Tab-separated table of all heavy atoms in Angstrom:
chain	number	residue	atom	x	y	z
A	1	MET	N	0.206	24.326	-9.246
A	1	MET	CA	-0.366	23.149	-8.628
A	1	MET	C	-1.664	23.616	-7.921
A	1	MET	O	-1.636	24.604	-7.163
A	1	MET	CB	0.617	22.529	-7.672
A	1	MET	CG	0.168	21.258	-7.036
A	1	MET	SD	1.359	20.444	-5.942
A	1	MET	CE	2.737	20.181	-6.971
A	2	THR	N	-2.706	22.834	-8.139
A	2	THR	CA	-3.985	23.178	-7.485
A	2	THR	C	-3.940	22.784	-6.036
A	2	THR	O	-3.107	22.007	-5.591
A	2	THR	CB	-5.145	22.477	-8.170
A	2	THR	OG1	-5.025	21.078	-7.926
A	2	THR	CG2	-5.210	22.741	-9.671
A	3	THR	N	-4.857	23.320	-5.262
A	3	THR	CA	-5.006	22.974	-3.862
A	3	THR	C	-5.245	21.500	-3.662
A	3	THR	O	-4.632	20.838	-2.811
A	3	THR	CB	-6.125	23.781	-3.214
A	3	THR	OG1	-5.852	25.188	-3.367
A	3	THR	CG2	-6.273	23.460	-1.723
A	4	LYS	N	-6.071	20.909	-4.541
A	4	LYS	CA	-6.382	19.469	-4.466
A	4	LYS	C	-5.124	18.632	-4.735
A	4	LYS	O	-4.883	17.671	-4.060
A	4	LYS	CB	-7.466	19.150	-5.464
A	4	LYS	CG	-8.003	17.713	-5.377
A	4	LYS	CD	-9.159	17.503	-6.300
A	4	LYS	CE	-9.672	16.082	-6.152
A	4	LYS	NZ	-10.889	15.863	-6.997
A	5	GLU	N	-4.343	19.037	-5.739
A	5	GLU	CA	-3.113	18.331	-6.050
A	5	GLU	C	-2.103	18.437	-4.899
A	5	GLU	O	-1.446	17.479	-4.564
A	5	GLU	CB	-2.495	18.866	-7.352
A	5	GLU	CG	-3.287	18.555	-8.574
A	5	GLU	CD	-2.821	19.279	-9.796
A	5	GLU	OE1	-2.289	20.419	-9.697
A	5	GLU	OE2	-3.005	18.730	-10.915
A	6	LEU	N	-1.999	19.623	-4.335
A	6	LEU	CA	-1.095	19.813	-3.202
A	6	LEU	C	-1.502	18.960	-1.993
A	6	LEU	O	-0.662	18.303	-1.361
A	6	LEU	CB	-1.099	21.296	-2.796
A	6	LEU	CG	-0.191	21.663	-1.642
A	6	LEU	CD1	1.294	21.320	-1.970
A	6	LEU	CD2	-0.302	23.177	-1.339
A	7	MET	N	-2.782	18.864	-1.729
A	7	MET	CA	-3.267	18.060	-0.629
A	7	MET	C	-2.988	16.585	-0.903
A	7	MET	O	-2.526	15.843	0.034
A	7	MET	CB	-4.720	18.270	-0.386
A	7	MET	CG	-5.033	19.655	0.218
A	7	MET	SD	-6.830	20.008	0.331
A	7	MET	CE	-7.396	18.637	1.306
A	8	ALA	N	-3.158	16.147	-2.103
A	8	ALA	CA	-2.900	14.722	-2.462
A	8	ALA	C	-1.390	14.409	-2.317
A	8	ALA	O	-0.995	13.392	-1.820
A	8	ALA	CB	-3.338	14.461	-3.903
A	9	LEU	N	-0.573	15.373	-2.770
A	9	LEU	CA	0.876	15.226	-2.634
A	9	LEU	C	1.311	15.151	-1.165
A	9	LEU	O	2.083	14.321	-0.795
A	9	LEU	CB	1.587	16.408	-3.338
A	9	LEU	CG	3.093	16.414	-3.348
A	9	LEU	CD1	3.656	15.153	-4.005
A	9	LEU	CD2	3.622	17.665	-4.097
A	10	GLN	N	0.740	16.031	-0.334
A	10	GLN	CA	1.052	15.991	1.065
A	10	GLN	C	0.619	14.672	1.737
A	10	GLN	O	1.325	14.090	2.579
A	10	GLN	CB	0.403	17.150	1.772
A	10	GLN	CG	1.039	18.499	1.440
A	10	GLN	CD	0.260	19.693	1.953
A	10	GLN	OE1	-0.949	19.668	2.095
A	10	GLN	NE2	1.013	20.760	2.290
A	11	ASP	N	-0.534	14.183	1.318
A	11	ASP	CA	-1.004	12.900	1.845
A	11	ASP	C	-0.077	11.765	1.486
A	11	ASP	O	0.298	10.918	2.302
A	11	ASP	CB	-2.374	12.537	1.337
A	11	ASP	CG	-3.509	13.393	1.940
A	11	ASP	OD1	-3.253	14.050	2.984
A	11	ASP	OD2	-4.638	13.429	1.392
A	12	GLN	N	0.356	11.764	0.218
A	12	GLN	CA	1.285	10.709	-0.256
A	12	GLN	C	2.618	10.798	0.480
A	12	GLN	O	3.248	9.787	0.805
A	12	GLN	CB	1.469	10.809	-1.779
A	12	GLN	CG	2.220	9.623	-2.355
A	12	GLN	CD	1.500	8.303	-2.130
A	12	GLN	OE1	0.304	8.215	-2.318
A	12	GLN	NE2	2.243	7.306	-1.799
A	13	ILE	N	3.104	12.025	0.662
A	13	ILE	CA	4.355	12.207	1.388
A	13	ILE	C	4.255	11.615	2.798
A	13	ILE	O	5.161	10.925	3.223
A	13	ILE	CB	4.754	13.707	1.433
A	13	ILE	CG1	5.230	14.131	0.054
A	13	ILE	CG2	5.818	13.958	2.474
A	13	ILE	CD1	5.416	15.623	-0.115
A	14	GLY	N	3.169	11.888	3.445
A	14	GLY	CA	2.948	11.368	4.783
A	14	GLY	C	2.912	9.855	4.795
A	14	GLY	O	3.494	9.210	5.687
A	15	GLU	N	2.227	9.260	3.807
A	15	GLU	CA	2.166	7.803	3.687
A	15	GLU	C	3.516	7.158	3.466
A	15	GLU	O	3.867	6.164	4.059
A	15	GLU	CB	1.169	7.427	2.597
A	15	GLU	CG	-0.282	7.696	2.964
A	15	GLU	CD	-1.241	7.410	1.820
A	15	GLU	OE1	-0.881	6.618	0.949
A	15	GLU	OE2	-2.301	8.007	1.836
A	16	GLU	N	4.301	7.774	2.605
A	16	GLU	CA	5.657	7.240	2.352
A	16	GLU	C	6.510	7.303	3.586
A	16	GLU	O	7.298	6.407	3.873
A	16	GLU	CB	6.317	8.027	1.199
A	16	GLU	CG	5.732	7.810	-0.160
A	16	GLU	CD	5.845	6.368	-0.693
A	16	GLU	OE1	6.671	5.573	-0.204
A	16	GLU	OE2	5.099	6.018	-1.609
A	17	GLN	N	6.372	8.381	4.345
A	17	GLN	CA	7.162	8.539	5.577
A	17	GLN	C	6.781	7.437	6.583
A	17	GLN	O	7.649	6.828	7.207
A	17	GLN	CB	6.904	9.930	6.166
A	17	GLN	CG	7.878	10.391	7.209
A	17	GLN	CD	7.672	11.828	7.591
A	17	GLN	OE1	6.535	12.339	7.539
A	17	GLN	NE2	8.710	12.478	7.921
A	18	VAL	N	5.488	7.192	6.735
A	18	VAL	CA	5.012	6.198	7.663
A	18	VAL	C	5.512	4.777	7.266
A	18	VAL	O	6.019	3.999	8.054
A	18	VAL	CB	3.482	6.175	7.804
A	18	VAL	CG1	2.945	4.970	8.511
A	18	VAL	CG2	3.024	7.449	8.499
A	19	VAL	N	5.351	4.465	5.955
A	19	VAL	CA	5.767	3.155	5.478
A	19	VAL	C	7.272	2.949	5.640
A	19	VAL	O	7.721	1.879	6.018
A	19	VAL	CB	5.317	2.973	4.013
A	19	VAL	CG1	5.897	1.715	3.414
A	19	VAL	CG2	3.806	2.956	3.892
A	20	THR	N	8.065	3.985	5.342
A	20	THR	CA	9.508	3.892	5.505
A	20	THR	C	9.864	3.549	6.950
A	20	THR	O	10.641	2.627	7.231
A	20	THR	CB	10.168	5.181	5.104
A	20	THR	OG1	9.871	5.424	3.695
A	20	THR	CG2	11.678	5.135	5.281
A	21	LYS	N	9.237	4.275	7.900
A	21	LYS	CA	9.519	3.983	9.313
A	21	LYS	C	9.090	2.608	9.712
A	21	LYS	O	9.792	1.927	10.507
A	21	LYS	CB	8.794	5.033	10.184
A	21	LYS	CG	9.389	6.435	10.109
A	21	LYS	CD	8.605	7.383	10.976
A	21	LYS	CE	9.173	8.793	10.849
A	21	LYS	NZ	8.446	9.757	11.652
A	22	LYS	N	7.971	2.134	9.249
A	22	LYS	CA	7.502	0.793	9.560
A	22	LYS	C	8.458	-0.287	9.091
A	22	LYS	O	8.795	-1.237	9.815
A	22	LYS	CB	6.066	0.528	9.003
A	22	LYS	CG	5.001	1.265	9.802
A	22	LYS	CD	3.630	0.906	9.278
A	22	LYS	CE	2.566	1.580	10.115
A	22	LYS	NZ	1.234	1.175	9.742
A	23	TYR	N	8.916	-0.184	7.830
A	23	TYR	CA	9.838	-1.185	7.325
A	23	TYR	C	11.160	-1.131	8.025
A	23	TYR	O	11.783	-2.191	8.276
A	23	TYR	CB	10.058	-1.010	5.781
A	23	TYR	CG	8.945	-1.719	4.977
A	23	TYR	CD1	7.923	-1.001	4.401
A	23	TYR	CD2	8.959	-3.101	4.828
A	23	TYR	CE1	6.910	-1.634	3.702
A	23	TYR	CE2	7.989	-3.719	4.102
A	23	TYR	CZ	6.956	-3.011	3.538
A	23	TYR	OH	5.987	-3.638	2.852
A	24	ARG	N	11.619	0.040	8.393
A	24	ARG	CA	12.897	0.131	9.140
A	24	ARG	C	12.757	-0.498	10.521
A	24	ARG	O	13.659	-1.167	11.016
A	24	ARG	CB	13.352	1.574	9.223
A	24	ARG	CG	13.811	2.095	7.894
A	24	ARG	CD	15.041	2.977	7.953
A	24	ARG	NE	15.605	3.138	6.637
A	24	ARG	CZ	15.495	4.223	5.906
A	24	ARG	NH1	14.821	5.255	6.373
A	24	ARG	NH2	16.004	4.291	4.706
A	25	THR	N	11.624	-0.267	11.165
A	25	THR	CA	11.363	-0.853	12.479
A	25	THR	C	11.312	-2.374	12.374
A	25	THR	O	11.932	-3.084	13.157
A	25	THR	CB	9.995	-0.354	13.051
A	25	THR	OG1	10.167	1.060	13.223
A	25	THR	CG2	9.716	-0.987	14.399
A	26	MET	N	10.617	-2.901	11.344
A	26	MET	CA	10.568	-4.353	11.166
A	26	MET	C	11.929	-4.938	10.872
A	26	MET	O	12.266	-6.003	11.405
A	26	MET	CB	9.598	-4.677	10.003
A	26	MET	CG	8.151	-4.527	10.338
A	26	MET	SD	7.043	-5.158	9.008
A	26	MET	CE	7.182	-3.869	7.799
A	27	ALA	N	12.743	-4.221	10.140
A	27	ALA	CA	14.089	-4.709	9.788
A	27	ALA	C	14.905	-4.804	11.051
A	27	ALA	O	15.653	-5.746	11.279
A	27	ALA	CB	14.760	-3.799	8.756
A	28	ARG	N	14.831	-3.795	11.914
A	28	ARG	CA	15.599	-3.810	13.177
A	28	ARG	C	15.189	-4.971	14.074
A	28	ARG	O	15.996	-5.515	14.838
A	28	ARG	CB	15.423	-2.482	13.922
A	28	ARG	CG	16.250	-1.353	13.391
A	28	ARG	CD	16.269	-0.165	14.330
A	28	ARG	NE	14.941	0.364	14.602
A	28	ARG	CZ	14.338	1.294	13.896
A	28	ARG	NH1	14.962	1.786	12.841
A	28	ARG	NH2	13.146	1.727	14.249
A	29	GLN	N	13.938	-5.371	14.009
A	29	GLN	CA	13.429	-6.437	14.884
A	29	GLN	C	13.620	-7.823	14.262
A	29	GLN	O	13.422	-8.804	15.002
A	29	GLN	CB	11.948	-6.203	15.125
A	29	GLN	CG	11.660	-4.952	15.946
A	29	GLN	CD	10.161	-4.610	16.035
A	29	GLN	OE1	9.373	-5.240	15.364
A	29	GLN	NE2	9.853	-3.637	16.853
A	30	CYS	N	14.022	-7.893	13.063
A	30	CYS	CA	14.181	-9.163	12.359
A	30	CYS	C	15.515	-9.796	12.635
A	30	CYS	O	16.541	-9.210	12.557
A	30	CYS	CB	13.966	-8.940	10.860
A	30	CYS	SG	13.915	-10.458	9.911
A	31	SER	N	15.486	-11.090	12.938
A	31	SER	CA	16.755	-11.814	13.218
A	31	SER	C	17.287	-12.531	11.955
A	31	SER	O	18.478	-12.819	11.920
A	31	SER	CB	16.500	-12.846	14.311
A	31	SER	OG	15.524	-13.788	13.911
A	32	ASP	N	16.501	-12.711	10.926
A	32	ASP	CA	16.971	-13.347	9.700
A	32	ASP	C	17.647	-12.288	8.814
A	32	ASP	O	17.010	-11.342	8.387
A	32	ASP	CB	15.766	-13.975	8.972
A	32	ASP	CG	16.175	-14.731	7.729
A	32	ASP	OD1	16.953	-14.177	6.903
A	32	ASP	OD2	15.702	-15.876	7.570
A	33	PRO	N	18.947	-12.457	8.561
A	33	PRO	CA	19.668	-11.435	7.760
A	33	PRO	C	19.099	-11.181	6.367
A	33	PRO	O	19.063	-10.051	5.931
A	33	PRO	CB	21.096	-11.982	7.666
A	33	PRO	CG	21.186	-13.007	8.769
A	33	PRO	CD	19.827	-13.549	8.997
A	34	ALA	N	18.654	-12.219	5.679
A	34	ALA	CA	18.122	-12.062	4.371
A	34	ALA	C	16.814	-11.223	4.372
A	34	ALA	O	16.612	-10.341	3.539
A	34	ALA	CB	17.877	-13.421	3.683
A	35	ILE	N	15.983	-11.582	5.306
A	35	ILE	CA	14.715	-10.835	5.452
A	35	ILE	C	14.964	-9.398	5.911
A	35	ILE	O	14.366	-8.462	5.393
A	35	ILE	CB	13.752	-11.550	6.404
A	35	ILE	CG1	13.329	-12.906	5.817
A	35	ILE	CG2	12.494	-10.682	6.674
A	35	ILE	CD1	12.542	-13.751	6.759
A	36	ARG	N	15.901	-9.233	6.831
A	36	ARG	CA	16.233	-7.895	7.267
A	36	ARG	C	16.777	-7.015	6.114
A	36	ARG	O	16.361	-5.877	5.990
A	36	ARG	CB	17.356	-7.980	8.361
A	36	ARG	CG	17.674	-6.570	8.949
A	36	ARG	CD	18.800	-6.641	10.019
A	36	ARG	NE	18.745	-7.777	10.854
A	36	ARG	CZ	19.729	-8.671	11.010
A	36	ARG	NH1	20.865	-8.478	10.303
A	36	ARG	NH2	19.622	-9.687	11.798
A	37	GLN	N	17.610	-7.625	5.272
A	37	GLN	CA	18.139	-6.889	4.146
A	37	GLN	C	17.017	-6.489	3.164
A	37	GLN	O	17.002	-5.370	2.642
A	37	GLN	CB	19.181	-7.758	3.426
A	37	GLN	CG	19.835	-7.031	2.256
A	37	GLN	CD	20.899	-7.896	1.571
A	37	GLN	OE1	21.026	-9.068	1.872
A	37	GLN	NE2	21.624	-7.293	0.649
A	38	ARG	N	16.083	-7.409	2.932
A	38	ARG	CA	14.952	-7.144	2.031
A	38	ARG	C	14.068	-6.013	2.594
A	38	ARG	O	13.643	-5.076	1.887
A	38	ARG	CB	14.120	-8.370	1.814
A	38	ARG	CG	13.016	-8.179	0.827
A	38	ARG	CD	13.483	-7.814	-0.558
A	38	ARG	NE	12.333	-7.584	-1.402
A	38	ARG	CZ	12.206	-6.528	-2.210
A	38	ARG	NH1	13.195	-5.657	-2.306
A	38	ARG	NH2	11.141	-6.383	-2.915
A	39	LEU	N	13.819	-6.044	3.918
A	39	LEU	CA	13.013	-4.999	4.520
A	39	LEU	C	13.732	-3.685	4.462
A	39	LEU	O	13.074	-2.625	4.157
A	39	LEU	CB	12.733	-5.330	5.995
A	39	LEU	CG	11.812	-6.566	6.213
A	39	LEU	CD1	11.817	-6.953	7.702
A	39	LEU	CD2	10.401	-6.238	5.747
A	40	GLU	N	15.020	-3.627	4.635
A	40	GLU	CA	15.788	-2.354	4.511
A	40	GLU	C	15.710	-1.873	3.087
A	40	GLU	O	15.639	-0.668	2.831
A	40	GLU	CB	17.240	-2.546	4.923
A	40	GLU	CG	17.442	-2.474	6.432
A	40	GLU	CD	17.147	-1.073	6.999
A	40	GLU	OE1	17.180	-0.095	6.283
A	40	GLU	OE2	16.887	-1.052	8.217
A	41	SER	N	15.801	-2.787	2.130
A	41	SER	CA	15.699	-2.420	0.722
A	41	SER	C	14.348	-1.759	0.381
A	41	SER	O	14.316	-0.715	-0.303
A	41	SER	CB	15.935	-3.645	-0.147
A	41	SER	OG	15.743	-3.368	-1.500
A	42	ILE	N	13.299	-2.323	0.894
A	42	ILE	CA	11.957	-1.793	0.684
A	42	ILE	C	11.868	-0.401	1.374
A	42	ILE	O	11.334	0.547	0.783
A	42	ILE	CB	10.896	-2.722	1.222
A	42	ILE	CG1	10.878	-4.017	0.436
A	42	ILE	CG2	9.505	-2.075	1.233
A	42	ILE	CD1	10.047	-5.165	1.017
A	43	ALA	N	12.438	-0.260	2.547
A	43	ALA	CA	12.441	1.036	3.256
A	43	ALA	C	13.160	2.072	2.406
A	43	ALA	O	12.716	3.216	2.284
A	43	ALA	CB	13.073	0.886	4.643
A	44	THR	N	14.268	1.678	1.811
A	44	THR	CA	15.077	2.580	0.994
A	44	THR	C	14.298	3.040	-0.241
A	44	THR	O	14.334	4.217	-0.612
A	44	THR	CB	16.411	1.952	0.595
A	44	THR	OG1	17.135	1.643	1.777
A	44	THR	CG2	17.220	2.828	-0.307
A	45	GLN	N	13.548	2.096	-0.833
A	45	GLN	CA	12.697	2.460	-2.019
A	45	GLN	C	11.664	3.522	-1.617
A	45	GLN	O	11.454	4.508	-2.335
A	45	GLN	CB	11.999	1.211	-2.544
A	45	GLN	CG	12.906	0.250	-3.255
A	45	GLN	CD	12.113	-1.023	-3.680
A	45	GLN	OE1	11.201	-1.457	-2.955
A	45	GLN	NE2	12.484	-1.572	-4.750
A	46	HIS	N	11.048	3.288	-0.483
A	46	HIS	CA	10.030	4.277	-0.023
A	46	HIS	C	10.655	5.567	0.359
A	46	HIS	O	10.055	6.618	0.166
A	46	HIS	CB	9.188	3.669	1.127
A	46	HIS	CG	8.193	2.670	0.625
A	46	HIS	ND1	7.035	3.029	-0.034
A	46	HIS	CD2	8.209	1.309	0.662
A	46	HIS	CE1	6.371	1.930	-0.361
A	46	HIS	NE2	7.045	0.901	0.090
A	47	GLN	N	11.874	5.593	0.905
A	47	GLN	CA	12.569	6.818	1.227
A	47	GLN	C	12.841	7.601	-0.076
A	47	GLN	O	12.719	8.819	-0.131
A	47	GLN	CB	13.870	6.537	1.936
A	47	GLN	CG	14.634	7.796	2.344
A	47	GLN	CD	13.853	8.641	3.334
A	47	GLN	OE1	13.400	8.151	4.377
A	47	GLN	NE2	13.711	9.933	3.064
A	48	ARG	N	13.227	6.886	-1.150
A	48	ARG	CA	13.421	7.543	-2.425
A	48	ARG	C	12.120	8.136	-2.964
A	48	ARG	O	12.116	9.261	-3.487
A	48	ARG	CB	14.014	6.570	-3.438
A	48	ARG	CG	15.500	6.329	-3.291
A	48	ARG	CD	16.122	5.673	-4.506
A	48	ARG	NE	15.533	4.375	-4.788
A	48	ARG	CZ	16.095	3.221	-4.383
A	48	ARG	NH1	17.170	3.224	-3.639
A	48	ARG	NH2	15.502	2.061	-4.674
A	49	HIS	N	11.015	7.412	-2.802
A	49	HIS	CA	9.712	7.946	-3.215
A	49	HIS	C	9.398	9.237	-2.443
A	49	HIS	O	8.992	10.241	-3.010
A	49	HIS	CB	8.592	6.963	-2.965
A	49	HIS	CG	8.652	5.715	-3.758
A	49	HIS	ND1	7.946	4.587	-3.423
A	49	HIS	CD2	9.376	5.361	-4.857
A	49	HIS	CE1	8.215	3.639	-4.318
A	49	HIS	NE2	9.099	4.077	-5.183
A	50	PHE	N	9.664	9.184	-1.135
A	50	PHE	CA	9.454	10.345	-0.256
A	50	PHE	C	10.299	11.536	-0.715
A	50	PHE	O	9.773	12.638	-0.883
A	50	PHE	CB	9.840	9.987	1.191
A	50	PHE	CG	9.819	11.154	2.135
A	50	PHE	CD1	8.678	11.584	2.745
A	50	PHE	CD2	10.997	11.842	2.415
A	50	PHE	CE1	8.661	12.666	3.604
A	50	PHE	CE2	10.995	12.920	3.320
A	50	PHE	CZ	9.816	13.320	3.908
A	51	ASP	N	11.591	11.260	-1.009
A	51	ASP	CA	12.474	12.349	-1.456
A	51	ASP	C	12.008	12.951	-2.778
A	51	ASP	O	12.069	14.178	-2.985
A	51	ASP	CB	13.917	11.835	-1.590
A	51	ASP	CG	14.509	11.434	-0.264
A	51	ASP	OD1	14.007	11.873	0.807
A	51	ASP	OD2	15.493	10.622	-0.262
A	52	THR	N	11.543	12.111	-3.698
A	52	THR	CA	11.074	12.568	-4.975
A	52	THR	C	9.840	13.418	-4.809
A	52	THR	O	9.715	14.489	-5.401
A	52	THR	CB	10.723	11.356	-5.917
A	52	THR	OG1	11.941	10.601	-6.145
A	52	THR	CG2	10.211	11.821	-7.250
A	53	LEU	N	8.924	12.974	-3.992
A	53	LEU	CA	7.710	13.768	-3.755
A	53	LEU	C	8.073	15.106	-3.091
A	53	LEU	O	7.477	16.145	-3.474
A	53	LEU	CB	6.707	12.975	-2.904
A	53	LEU	CG	6.128	11.766	-3.569
A	53	LEU	CD1	5.352	10.899	-2.504
A	53	LEU	CD2	5.177	12.154	-4.689
A	54	MET	N	8.988	15.081	-2.135
A	54	MET	CA	9.401	16.339	-1.505
A	54	MET	C	9.987	17.301	-2.502
A	54	MET	O	9.797	18.518	-2.391
A	54	MET	CB	10.401	16.032	-0.397
A	54	MET	CG	9.735	15.456	0.891
A	54	MET	SD	8.507	16.518	1.671
A	54	MET	CE	9.575	17.831	2.319
A	55	SER	N	10.704	16.790	-3.478
A	55	SER	CA	11.320	17.675	-4.439
A	55	SER	C	10.259	18.417	-5.282
A	55	SER	O	10.504	19.506	-5.751
A	55	SER	CB	12.280	16.879	-5.372
A	55	SER	OG	11.515	16.075	-6.286
A	56	HIS	N	9.074	17.822	-5.398
A	56	HIS	CA	8.000	18.502	-6.125
A	56	HIS	C	7.442	19.662	-5.307
A	56	HIS	O	6.964	20.652	-5.898
A	56	HIS	CB	6.841	17.505	-6.429
A	56	HIS	CG	7.213	16.509	-7.466
A	56	HIS	ND1	7.481	16.795	-8.773
A	56	HIS	CD2	7.399	15.164	-7.354
A	56	HIS	CE1	7.777	15.710	-9.433
A	56	HIS	NE2	7.754	14.668	-8.577
A	57	LEU	N	7.504	19.581	-4.009
A	57	LEU	CA	7.068	20.673	-3.183
A	57	LEU	C	8.039	21.856	-3.231
A	57	LEU	O	7.673	23.039	-3.120
A	57	LEU	CB	6.949	20.236	-1.703
A	57	LEU	CG	5.724	19.436	-1.363
A	57	LEU	CD1	5.721	19.076	0.121
A	57	LEU	CD2	4.418	20.150	-1.703
A	58	LYS	N	9.335	21.552	-3.387
A	58	LYS	CA	10.388	22.589	-3.415
A	58	LYS	C	10.547	23.233	-4.742
A	58	LYS	O	11.176	24.267	-4.842
A	58	LYS	CB	11.681	21.960	-2.942
A	58	LYS	CG	11.656	21.421	-1.536
A	58	LYS	CD	12.942	20.740	-1.175
A	58	LYS	CE	12.787	20.171	0.258
A	58	LYS	NZ	13.988	19.391	0.615
A	59	ALA	N	9.965	22.626	-5.794
A	59	ALA	CA	10.132	23.172	-7.168
A	59	ALA	C	9.270	24.371	-7.382
A	59	ALA	O	8.445	24.795	-6.690
A	59	ALA	CB	9.745	22.122	-8.176
């Protein structure tokens, strides 16, 4: 992996981490159960993206 690719991967990992935290925070603050569930679902998707990207660093 080139330095440029590694930097792009690290940037994307950071972005996924931030987005995951934001959606989880919004879900905790939401009083509507359906919206809360959808926000948690989106957070989970981004957590999976984060985990996948991290696995590329460990490979």
Side-chain angles (χ1 to χ4, degrees):
M1 184 177 302
T2 67
T3 301
K4 187 174 182 178
E5 291 170 330
L6 180 59
M7 289 174 57
L9 181 58
Q10 289 172 328
D11 287 345
Q12 188 63 42
I13 286 169
E15 290 175 22
E16 291 295 343
Q17 194 171 32
V18 167
V19 171
T20 299
K21 288 179 182 180
K22 284 184 178 186
Y23 275 104
R24 290 220 166 103
T25 298
M26 286 187 285
R28 281 192 301 272
Q29 295 173 351
C30 186
S31 59
D32 184 312
I35 295 173
R36 184 181 323 120
Q37 183 179 8
R38 182 64 183 132
L39 292 170
E40 278 294 338
S41 174
I42 294 168
T44 299
Q45 288 175 328
H46 283 285
Q47 183 64 51
R48 281 196 298 265
H49 295 164
F50 173 85
D51 294 341
T52 299
L53 292 169
M54 286 297 290
S55 73
H56 291 294
L57 285 180
K58 296 176 184 175

